[in-house]
Amino acid sequence: MRPYTEIQNCWYIIIIFAGIIVAMTLALMYQWGNNPMTLPVYCIMIPLMILPMLLFYNMKTTVYNNQITISYGVGWIKKQIRLDSLMSAKVVKGRWYHGAGIKHLDGGMLYSINFTGSVELRTTYSDKFIRIGSSDTERLT
């Protein structure tokens, strides 16, 4: 089996958190406001801004060696699904309010990073579905 790999970047997470880091750095450097930021507060806040960027800057979907692997960011958050446990796979159009991320939906879980279509999987070990967001849903199916 030839491996399938799709990497989707989450530009809005990168832009938002990078913007916050730049604003915090400028606020520290120029001591903006009536109660300016202190260095200890800055040293605590910067890792709190970098962590979500590292965890969710992209989503990688791989189909290889009889399993589907979904991993986020640097790979600390990961989901694996065995191909031999699949009963069905179909392309579905998600609702705009489902958004992106790892979410519980009525009847299953969503693993997505962009507001694109997704592939809904049904497995033998659960009556709940698993939806994987993809910009190339037909190929992933």
Side-chain angles (χ1 to χ4, degrees), residues 38-99:
T38 62
L39 185 59
V41 170
Y42 179 81
C43 291
I44 291 169
M45 293 302 293
I46 288 299
L48 293 176
M49 296 297 114
I50 292 174
L51 186 63
M53 280 182 20
L54 287 175
L55 292 177
F56 294 104
Y57 71 90
N58 76 3
M59 182 177 99
K60 181 178 181 180
T61 306
T62 307
V63 181
Y64 187 65
N65 282 344
N66 199 31
Q67 72 180 10
I68 301 169
T69 304
I70 307 159
S71 63
Y72 284 87
V74 293
W76 293 343
I77 300 171
K78 195 178 280 192
K79 170 74 174 170
Q80 295 179 334
I81 305 157
R82 294 187 44 85
L83 290 179
D84 56 9
S85 70
L86 292 182
M87 291 190 315
S88 68
K90 66 179 180 179
V91 176
V92 294
K93 182 71 174 154
R95 306 273 190 247
W96 64 269
Y97 52 83
H98 289 160

Side-chain angles (χ1 to χ4, degrees), residues 7-33:
I7 298 174
Q8 300 178 71
N9 291 313
C10 190
W11 295 111
Y12 55 90
I13 290 284
I14 296 167
I15 291 168
I16 288 169
F17 283 100
I20 292 170
I21 290 169
V22 168
M24 286 175 36
T25 302
L26 291 173
L28 177 70
M29 287 173 48
Y30 295 110
Q31 292 295 293
W32 291 341

Side-chain angles (χ1 to χ4, degrees), residues 104-116:
H104 286 280
L105 301 177
D106 288 338
M109 289 290 294
L110 170 69
Y111 297 89
S112 180
I113 206 150
N114 292 324
F115 301 95
T116 57

